[in-house]
PDB file of all heavy atoms in Angstrom:
ATOM      1  N   GLY A1224      -9.301  17.068   3.289  1.00  0.00           N
ATOM      2  CA  GLY A1224      -9.108  16.081   4.341  1.00  0.00           C
ATOM      3  C   GLY A1224      -9.538  14.711   3.913  1.00  0.00           C
ATOM      4  O   GLY A1224      -8.886  13.706   4.234  1.00  0.00           O
ATOM      5  N   TYR A1225     -10.651  14.645   3.175  1.00  0.00           N
ATOM      6  CA  TYR A1225     -11.128  13.347   2.720  1.00  0.00           C
ATOM      7  C   TYR A1225     -10.131  12.707   1.761  1.00  0.00           C
ATOM      8  O   TYR A1225      -9.840  11.510   1.840  1.00  0.00           O
ATOM      9  CB  TYR A1225     -12.488  13.520   2.028  1.00  0.00           C
ATOM     10  CG  TYR A1225     -13.085  12.215   1.556  1.00  0.00           C
ATOM     11  CD1 TYR A1225     -13.871  11.427   2.425  1.00  0.00           C
ATOM     12  CD2 TYR A1225     -12.868  11.742   0.270  1.00  0.00           C
ATOM     13  CE1 TYR A1225     -14.422  10.227   1.996  1.00  0.00           C
ATOM     14  CE2 TYR A1225     -13.394  10.548  -0.168  1.00  0.00           C
ATOM     15  CZ  TYR A1225     -14.189   9.791   0.711  1.00  0.00           C
ATOM     16  OH  TYR A1225     -14.720   8.606   0.287  1.00  0.00           O
ATOM     17  N   ASP A1226      -9.587  13.510   0.817  1.00  0.00           N
ATOM     18  CA  ASP A1226      -8.598  13.005  -0.133  1.00  0.00           C
ATOM     19  C   ASP A1226      -7.382  12.454   0.577  1.00  0.00           C
ATOM     20  O   ASP A1226      -6.885  11.359   0.255  1.00  0.00           O
ATOM     21  CB  ASP A1226      -8.170  14.117  -1.106  1.00  0.00           C
ATOM     22  CG  ASP A1226      -9.232  14.359  -2.158  1.00  0.00           C
ATOM     23  OD1 ASP A1226     -10.168  13.520  -2.266  1.00  0.00           O
ATOM     24  OD2 ASP A1226      -9.162  15.383  -2.855  1.00  0.00           O
ATOM     25  N   ASP A1227      -6.838  13.215   1.523  1.00  0.00           N
ATOM     26  CA  ASP A1227      -5.641  12.767   2.225  1.00  0.00           C
ATOM     27  C   ASP A1227      -5.894  11.489   2.988  1.00  0.00           C
ATOM     28  O   ASP A1227      -5.081  10.542   2.940  1.00  0.00           O
ATOM     29  CB  ASP A1227      -5.154  13.864   3.179  1.00  0.00           C
ATOM     30  CG  ASP A1227      -4.650  15.106   2.426  1.00  0.00           C
ATOM     31  OD1 ASP A1227      -4.325  14.958   1.227  1.00  0.00           O
ATOM     32  OD2 ASP A1227      -4.611  16.189   3.033  1.00  0.00           O
ATOM     33  N   GLY A1228      -7.018  11.436   3.705  1.00  0.00           N
ATOM     34  CA  GLY A1228      -7.342  10.220   4.457  1.00  0.00           C
ATOM     35  C   GLY A1228      -7.591   9.041   3.560  1.00  0.00           C
ATOM     36  O   GLY A1228      -7.148   7.934   3.817  1.00  0.00           O
ATOM     37  N   TYR A1229      -8.252   9.282   2.432  1.00  0.00           N
ATOM     38  CA  TYR A1229      -8.549   8.187   1.511  1.00  0.00           C
ATOM     39  C   TYR A1229      -7.268   7.652   0.856  1.00  0.00           C
ATOM     40  O   TYR A1229      -7.083   6.453   0.718  1.00  0.00           O
ATOM     41  CB  TYR A1229      -9.520   8.681   0.434  1.00  0.00           C
ATOM     42  CG  TYR A1229     -10.093   7.582  -0.418  1.00  0.00           C
ATOM     43  CD1 TYR A1229     -11.266   6.918  -0.035  1.00  0.00           C
ATOM     44  CD2 TYR A1229      -9.445   7.177  -1.584  1.00  0.00           C
ATOM     45  CE1 TYR A1229     -11.781   5.912  -0.784  1.00  0.00           C
ATOM     46  CE2 TYR A1229      -9.970   6.133  -2.355  1.00  0.00           C
ATOM     47  CZ  TYR A1229     -11.126   5.524  -1.943  1.00  0.00           C
ATOM     48  OH  TYR A1229     -11.651   4.486  -2.682  1.00  0.00           O
ATOM     49  N   ASP A1230      -6.383   8.577   0.461  1.00  0.00           N
ATOM     50  CA  ASP A1230      -5.150   8.161  -0.185  1.00  0.00           C
ATOM     51  C   ASP A1230      -4.297   7.313   0.765  1.00  0.00           C
ATOM     52  O   ASP A1230      -3.696   6.302   0.380  1.00  0.00           O
ATOM     53  CB  ASP A1230      -4.328   9.373  -0.627  1.00  0.00           C
ATOM     54  CG  ASP A1230      -5.003  10.096  -1.793  1.00  0.00           C
ATOM     55  OD1 ASP A1230      -5.896   9.483  -2.395  1.00  0.00           O
ATOM     56  OD2 ASP A1230      -4.658  11.270  -2.049  1.00  0.00           O
ATOM     57  N   TYR A1231      -4.222   7.717   2.030  1.00  0.00           N
ATOM     58  CA  TYR A1231      -3.425   6.959   3.010  1.00  0.00           C
ATOM     59  C   TYR A1231      -4.049   5.567   3.196  1.00  0.00           C
ATOM     60  O   TYR A1231      -3.333   4.574   3.216  1.00  0.00           O
ATOM     61  CB  TYR A1231      -3.366   7.694   4.334  1.00  0.00           C
ATOM     62  CG  TYR A1231      -2.589   6.919   5.371  1.00  0.00           C
ATOM     63  CD1 TYR A1231      -1.175   6.917   5.365  1.00  0.00           C
ATOM     64  CD2 TYR A1231      -3.241   6.160   6.346  1.00  0.00           C
ATOM     65  CE1 TYR A1231      -0.459   6.172   6.314  1.00  0.00           C
ATOM     66  CE2 TYR A1231      -2.528   5.435   7.277  1.00  0.00           C
ATOM     67  CZ  TYR A1231      -1.144   5.463   7.272  1.00  0.00           C
ATOM     68  OH  TYR A1231      -0.440   4.736   8.206  1.00  0.00           O
ATOM     69  N   GLY A1232      -5.357   5.537   3.299  1.00  0.00           N
ATOM     70  CA  GLY A1232      -6.023   4.243   3.436  1.00  0.00           C
ATOM     71  C   GLY A1232      -5.920   3.406   2.169  1.00  0.00           C
ATOM     72  O   GLY A1232      -5.995   2.195   2.216  1.00  0.00           O
ATOM     73  N   TRP A1233      -5.715   4.082   1.018  1.00  0.00           N
ATOM     74  CA  TRP A1233      -5.678   3.337  -0.256  1.00  0.00           C
ATOM     75  C   TRP A1233      -4.366   2.575  -0.441  1.00  0.00           C
ATOM     76  O   TRP A1233      -4.352   1.385  -0.642  1.00  0.00           O
ATOM     77  CB  TRP A1233      -5.850   4.360  -1.391  1.00  0.00           C
ATOM     78  CG  TRP A1233      -5.830   3.752  -2.752  1.00  0.00           C
ATOM     79  CD1 TRP A1233      -4.770   3.365  -3.484  1.00  0.00           C
ATOM     80  CD2 TRP A1233      -6.979   3.429  -3.549  1.00  0.00           C
ATOM     81  NE1 TRP A1233      -5.156   2.857  -4.683  1.00  0.00           N
ATOM     82  CE2 TRP A1233      -6.510   2.873  -4.754  1.00  0.00           C
ATOM     83  CE3 TRP A1233      -8.361   3.564  -3.339  1.00  0.00           C
ATOM     84  CZ2 TRP A1233      -7.377   2.470  -5.753  1.00  0.00           C
ATOM     85  CZ3 TRP A1233      -9.205   3.153  -4.345  1.00  0.00           C
ATOM     86  CH2 TRP A1233      -8.718   2.610  -5.551  1.00  0.00           C
ATOM     87  N   TYR A1234      -3.213   3.310  -0.385  1.00  0.00           N
ATOM     88  CA  TYR A1234      -1.970   2.593  -0.637  1.00  0.00           C
ATOM     89  C   TYR A1234      -0.835   2.963   0.315  1.00  0.00           C
ATOM     90  O   TYR A1234       0.330   2.698   0.068  1.00  0.00           O
ATOM     91  CB  TYR A1234      -1.503   2.853  -2.089  1.00  0.00           C
ATOM     92  CG  TYR A1234      -1.393   4.302  -2.484  1.00  0.00           C
ATOM     93  CD1 TYR A1234      -0.294   5.078  -2.098  1.00  0.00           C
ATOM     94  CD2 TYR A1234      -2.404   4.880  -3.267  1.00  0.00           C
ATOM     95  CE1 TYR A1234      -0.204   6.407  -2.469  1.00  0.00           C
ATOM     96  CE2 TYR A1234      -2.293   6.227  -3.626  1.00  0.00           C
ATOM     97  CZ  TYR A1234      -1.188   6.967  -3.243  1.00  0.00           C
ATOM     98  OH  TYR A1234      -1.087   8.271  -3.620  1.00  0.00           O
ATOM     99  N   GLY A1235      -1.151   3.610   1.442  1.00  0.00           N
ATOM    100  CA  GLY A1235      -0.082   4.067   2.327  1.00  0.00           C
ATOM    101  C   GLY A1235       0.448   3.022   3.300  1.00  0.00           C
ATOM    102  O   GLY A1235       1.534   3.194   3.858  1.00  0.00           O
ATOM    103  N   SER A1236      -0.271   1.893   3.507  1.00  0.00           N
ATOM    104  CA  SER A1236       0.165   0.966   4.579  1.00  0.00           C
ATOM    105  C   SER A1236       0.052  -0.485   4.162  1.00  0.00           C
ATOM    106  O   SER A1236      -0.062  -1.351   5.000  1.00  0.00           O
ATOM    107  CB  SER A1236      -0.681   1.201   5.831  1.00  0.00           C
ATOM    108  OG  SER A1236      -2.049   0.961   5.554  1.00  0.00           O
ATOM    109  N   SER A1237       0.079  -0.748   2.861  1.00  0.00           N
ATOM    110  CA  SER A1237      -0.168  -2.111   2.419  1.00  0.00           C
ATOM    111  C   SER A1237       0.990  -3.057   2.714  1.00  0.00           C
ATOM    112  O   SER A1237       0.777  -4.270   2.876  1.00  0.00           O
ATOM    113  CB  SER A1237      -0.470  -2.115   0.910  1.00  0.00           C
ATOM    114  OG  SER A1237       0.652  -1.617   0.208  1.00  0.00           O
ATOM    115  N   ALA A1238       2.219  -2.550   2.781  1.00  0.00           N
ATOM    116  CA  ALA A1238       3.377  -3.430   2.966  1.00  0.00           C
ATOM    117  C   ALA A1238       4.005  -3.341   4.350  1.00  0.00           C
ATOM    118  O   ALA A1238       5.124  -3.784   4.561  1.00  0.00           O
ATOM    119  CB  ALA A1238       4.440  -3.143   1.897  1.00  0.00           C
ATOM    120  N   LYS A1239       3.339  -2.699   5.303  1.00  0.00           N
ATOM    121  CA  LYS A1239       3.897  -2.525   6.632  1.00  0.00           C
ATOM    122  C   LYS A1239       3.489  -3.722   7.520  1.00  0.00           C
ATOM    123  O   LYS A1239       2.504  -3.669   8.238  1.00  0.00           O
ATOM    124  CB  LYS A1239       3.361  -1.219   7.251  1.00  0.00           C
ATOM    125  CG  LYS A1239       3.581   0.016   6.391  1.00  0.00           C
ATOM    126  CD  LYS A1239       5.062   0.305   6.226  1.00  0.00           C
ATOM    127  CE  LYS A1239       5.292   1.680   5.589  1.00  0.00           C
ATOM    128  NZ  LYS A1239       4.753   1.761   4.226  1.00  0.00           N
ATOM    129  N   SER A1240       4.235  -4.799   7.442  1.00  0.00           N
ATOM    130  CA  SER A1240       3.908  -5.992   8.232  1.00  0.00           C
ATOM    131  C   SER A1240       5.207  -6.738   8.542  1.00  0.00           C
ATOM    132  O   SER A1240       6.141  -6.748   7.759  1.00  0.00           O
ATOM    133  CB  SER A1240       2.946  -6.896   7.470  1.00  0.00           C
ATOM    134  OG  SER A1240       2.720  -8.089   8.184  1.00  0.00           O
ATOM    135  N   THR A1241       5.214  -7.417   9.718  1.00  0.00           N
ATOM    136  CA  THR A1241       6.360  -8.237  10.111  1.00  0.00           C
ATOM    137  C   THR A1241       6.201  -9.670   9.646  1.00  0.00           C
ATOM    138  O   THR A1241       7.144 -10.467   9.726  1.00  0.00           O
ATOM    139  CB  THR A1241       6.496  -8.210  11.628  1.00  0.00           C
ATOM    140  OG1 THR A1241       5.311  -8.681  12.238  1.00  0.00           O
ATOM    141  CG2 THR A1241       6.801  -6.809  12.120  1.00  0.00           C
ATOM    142  N   ASN A1242       5.022 -10.041   9.151  1.00  0.00           N
ATOM    143  CA  ASN A1242       4.808 -11.373   8.616  1.00  0.00           C
ATOM    144  C   ASN A1242       5.538 -11.513   7.297  1.00  0.00           C
ATOM    145  O   ASN A1242       5.306 -10.717   6.374  1.00  0.00           O
ATOM    146  CB  ASN A1242       3.304 -11.616   8.455  1.00  0.00           C
ATOM    147  CG  ASN A1242       2.978 -13.033   8.073  1.00  0.00           C
ATOM    148  OD1 ASN A1242       3.482 -13.568   7.085  1.00  0.00           O
ATOM    149  ND2 ASN A1242       2.090 -13.646   8.876  1.00  0.00           N
ATOM    150  N   PRO A1243       6.424 -12.512   7.132  1.00  0.00           N
ATOM    151  CA  PRO A1243       7.206 -12.632   5.884  1.00  0.00           C
ATOM    152  C   PRO A1243       6.345 -12.744   4.640  1.00  0.00           C
ATOM    153  O   PRO A1243       6.621 -12.112   3.623  1.00  0.00           O
ATOM    154  CB  PRO A1243       8.038 -13.900   6.102  1.00  0.00           C
ATOM    155  CG  PRO A1243       8.091 -14.044   7.584  1.00  0.00           C
ATOM    156  CD  PRO A1243       6.797 -13.546   8.125  1.00  0.00           C
ATOM    157  N   ALA A1244       5.268 -13.545   4.719  1.00  0.00           N
ATOM    158  CA  ALA A1244       4.400 -13.708   3.545  1.00  0.00           C
ATOM    159  C   ALA A1244       3.702 -12.408   3.190  1.00  0.00           C
ATOM    160  O   ALA A1244       3.593 -12.012   2.017  1.00  0.00           O
ATOM    161  CB  ALA A1244       3.376 -14.811   3.811  1.00  0.00           C
ATOM    162  N   VAL A1245       3.235 -11.709   4.237  1.00  0.00           N
ATOM    163  CA  VAL A1245       2.541 -10.444   4.009  1.00  0.00           C
ATOM    164  C   VAL A1245       3.529  -9.402   3.473  1.00  0.00           C
ATOM    165  O   VAL A1245       3.219  -8.618   2.562  1.00  0.00           O
ATOM    166  CB  VAL A1245       1.869  -9.962   5.298  1.00  0.00           C
ATOM    167  CG1 VAL A1245       1.260  -8.570   5.106  1.00  0.00           C
ATOM    168  CG2 VAL A1245       0.790 -10.935   5.752  1.00  0.00           C
ATOM    169  N   ALA A1246       4.737  -9.377   4.061  1.00  0.00           N
ATOM    170  CA  ALA A1246       5.754  -8.420   3.603  1.00  0.00           C
ATOM    171  C   ALA A1246       6.107  -8.661   2.148  1.00  0.00           C
ATOM    172  O   ALA A1246       6.283  -7.713   1.348  1.00  0.00           O
ATOM    173  CB  ALA A1246       6.978  -8.537   4.499  1.00  0.00           C
ATOM    174  N   LEU A1247       6.237  -9.945   1.752  1.00  0.00           N
ATOM    175  CA  LEU A1247       6.549 -10.259   0.369  1.00  0.00           C
ATOM    176  C   LEU A1247       5.432  -9.815  -0.566  1.00  0.00           C
ATOM    177  O   LEU A1247       5.675  -9.217  -1.637  1.00  0.00           O
ATOM    178  CB  LEU A1247       6.800 -11.749   0.211  1.00  0.00           C
ATOM    179  CG  LEU A1247       7.087 -12.254  -1.212  1.00  0.00           C
ATOM    180  CD1 LEU A1247       8.344 -11.586  -1.766  1.00  0.00           C
ATOM    181  CD2 LEU A1247       7.218 -13.779  -1.248  1.00  0.00           C
ATOM    182  N   ALA A1248       4.179 -10.112  -0.180  1.00  0.00           N
ATOM    183  CA  ALA A1248       3.056  -9.693  -1.012  1.00  0.00           C
ATOM    184  C   ALA A1248       2.991  -8.173  -1.128  1.00  0.00           C
ATOM    185  O   ALA A1248       2.723  -7.629  -2.207  1.00  0.00           O
ATOM    186  CB  ALA A1248       1.759 -10.242  -0.421  1.00  0.00           C
ATOM    187  N   GLY A1249       3.290  -7.479   0.022  1.00  0.00           N
ATOM    188  CA  GLY A1249       3.275  -6.033  -0.029  1.00  0.00           C
ATOM    189  C   GLY A1249       4.375  -5.479  -0.920  1.00  0.00           C
ATOM    190  O   GLY A1249       4.177  -4.499  -1.628  1.00  0.00           O
ATOM    191  N   LYS A1250       5.536  -6.136  -0.872  1.00  0.00           N
ATOM    192  CA  LYS A1250       6.650  -5.697  -1.719  1.00  0.00           C
ATOM    193  C   LYS A1250       6.327  -5.892  -3.198  1.00  0.00           C
ATOM    194  O   LYS A1250       6.575  -5.043  -4.049  1.00  0.00           O
ATOM    195  CB  LYS A1250       7.907  -6.484  -1.362  1.00  0.00           C
ATOM    196  CG  LYS A1250       9.160  -6.052  -2.128  1.00  0.00           C
ATOM    197  CD  LYS A1250      10.369  -6.832  -1.645  1.00  0.00           C
ATOM    198  CE  LYS A1250      11.638  -6.358  -2.396  1.00  0.00           C
ATOM    199  NZ  LYS A1250      11.546  -6.497  -3.812  1.00  0.00           N
ATOM    200  N   VAL A1251       5.733  -7.066  -3.534  1.00  0.00           N
ATOM    201  CA  VAL A1251       5.338  -7.309  -4.930  1.00  0.00           C
ATOM    202  C   VAL A1251       4.294  -6.296  -5.382  1.00  0.00           C
ATOM    203  O   VAL A1251       4.379  -5.740  -6.480  1.00  0.00           O
ATOM    204  CB  VAL A1251       4.774  -8.736  -5.063  1.00  0.00           C
ATOM    205  CG1 VAL A1251       4.114  -8.940  -6.413  1.00  0.00           C
ATOM    206  CG2 VAL A1251       5.860  -9.770  -4.844  1.00  0.00           C
ATOM    207  N   ASN A1252       3.350  -6.017  -4.498  1.00  0.00           N
ATOM    208  CA  ASN A1252       2.296  -5.037  -4.810  1.00  0.00           C
ATOM    209  C   ASN A1252       2.910  -3.655  -5.074  1.00  0.00           C
ATOM    210  O   ASN A1252       2.547  -2.940  -6.025  1.00  0.00           O
ATOM    211  CB  ASN A1252       1.280  -4.983  -3.700  1.00  0.00           C
ATOM    212  CG  ASN A1252       0.098  -4.091  -4.055  1.00  0.00           C
ATOM    213  OD1 ASN A1252      -0.233  -3.913  -5.213  1.00  0.00           O
ATOM    214  ND2 ASN A1252      -0.528  -3.530  -3.023  1.00  0.00           N
ATOM    215  N   ALA A1253       3.851  -3.269  -4.205  1.00  0.00           N
ATOM    216  CA  ALA A1253       4.487  -1.967  -4.336  1.00  0.00           C
ATOM    217  C   ALA A1253       5.349  -1.866  -5.583  1.00  0.00           C
ATOM    218  O   ALA A1253       5.439  -0.806  -6.232  1.00  0.00           O
ATOM    219  CB  ALA A1253       5.313  -1.660  -3.078  1.00  0.00           C
ATOM    220  N   ASP A1254       6.026  -3.009  -5.941  1.00  0.00           N
ATOM    221  CA  ASP A1254       6.871  -2.992  -7.163  1.00  0.00           C
ATOM    222  C   ASP A1254       6.038  -3.117  -8.420  1.00  0.00           C
ATOM    223  O   ASP A1254       6.467  -2.682  -9.509  1.00  0.00           O
ATOM    224  CB  ASP A1254       7.855  -4.143  -7.096  1.00  0.00           C
ATOM    225  CG  ASP A1254       8.928  -3.922  -6.041  1.00  0.00           C
ATOM    226  OD1 ASP A1254       9.123  -2.752  -5.648  1.00  0.00           O
ATOM    227  OD2 ASP A1254       9.581  -4.906  -5.610  1.00  0.00           O
ATOM    228  N   LEU A1255       4.866  -3.727  -8.294  1.00  0.00           N
ATOM    229  CA  LEU A1255       4.007  -3.926  -9.462  1.00  0.00           C
ATOM    230  C   LEU A1255       3.431  -2.632  -9.968  1.00  0.00           C
ATOM    231  O   LEU A1255       3.309  -2.397 -11.190  1.00  0.00           O
ATOM    232  CB  LEU A1255       2.875  -4.902  -9.105  1.00  0.00           C
ATOM    233  CG  LEU A1255       2.029  -5.446 -10.258  1.00  0.00           C
ATOM    234  CD1 LEU A1255       2.856  -6.293 -11.213  1.00  0.00           C
ATOM    235  CD2 LEU A1255       0.869  -6.276  -9.696  1.00  0.00           C
ATOM    236  N   ILE A1256       3.109  -1.722  -9.060  1.00  0.00           N
ATOM    237  CA  ILE A1256       2.447  -0.464  -9.429  1.00  0.00           C
ATOM    238  C   ILE A1256       3.213   0.702  -8.764  1.00  0.00           C
ATOM    239  O   ILE A1256       3.491   0.666  -7.558  1.00  0.00           O
ATOM    240  CB  ILE A1256       0.972  -0.426  -8.980  1.00  0.00           C
ATOM    241  CG1 ILE A1256       0.227  -1.575  -9.651  1.00  0.00           C
ATOM    242  CG2 ILE A1256       0.333   0.926  -9.318  1.00  0.00           C
ATOM    243  CD1 ILE A1256      -1.167  -1.769  -9.126  1.00  0.00           C
ATOM    244  N   ASP A1257       3.533   1.724  -9.550  1.00  0.00           N
ATOM    245  CA  ASP A1257       4.173   2.936  -9.011  1.00  0.00           C
ATOM    246  C   ASP A1257       3.067   3.874  -8.567  1.00  0.00           C
ATOM    247  O   ASP A1257       2.577   4.705  -9.330  1.00  0.00           O
ATOM    248  CB  ASP A1257       5.055   3.579 -10.082  1.00  0.00           C
ATOM    249  CG  ASP A1257       5.805   4.783  -9.545  1.00  0.00           C
ATOM    250  OD1 ASP A1257       5.718   5.025  -8.321  1.00  0.00           O
ATOM    251  OD2 ASP A1257       6.446   5.494 -10.354  1.00  0.00           O
ATOM    252  N   TYR A1258       2.666   3.733  -7.302  1.00  0.00           N
ATOM    253  CA  TYR A1258       1.512   4.503  -6.801  1.00  0.00           C
ATOM    254  C   TYR A1258       1.794   5.997  -6.766  1.00  0.00           C
ATOM    255  O   TYR A1258       0.890   6.809  -6.900  1.00  0.00           O
ATOM    256  CB  TYR A1258       1.127   4.016  -5.411  1.00  0.00           C
ATOM    257  CG  TYR A1258       0.493   2.621  -5.402  1.00  0.00           C
ATOM    258  CD1 TYR A1258       1.259   1.506  -5.106  1.00  0.00           C
ATOM    259  CD2 TYR A1258      -0.836   2.466  -5.737  1.00  0.00           C
ATOM    260  CE1 TYR A1258       0.707   0.243  -5.110  1.00  0.00           C
ATOM    261  CE2 TYR A1258      -1.403   1.207  -5.747  1.00  0.00           C
ATOM    262  CZ  TYR A1258      -0.624   0.099  -5.435  1.00  0.00           C
ATOM    263  OH  TYR A1258      -1.199  -1.151  -5.448  1.00  0.00           O
TER     264      TYR A1258
END
């Protein structure tokens, strides 16, 4: 349970935003690293 919760908190929601700047940063982050 700790692993699953930690993994989701780690990289599961970084790009979920309606803010264009935040969405772009999240997209770059997601494309930069294959999590």
Side-chain angles (χ1 to χ4, degrees):
Y1225 182 87
D1226 284 347
D1227 292 339
Y1229 190 89
D1230 290 344
Y1231 178 79
W1233 181 280
Y1234 53 78
S1236 61
S1237 62
K1239 307 295 191 296
S1240 176
T1241 58
N1242 187 305
V1245 174
L1247 177 61
K1250 184 177 182 301
V1251 170
N1252 185 28
D1254 290 340
L1255 191 64
I1256 301 171
D1257 183 7
Y1258 290 98

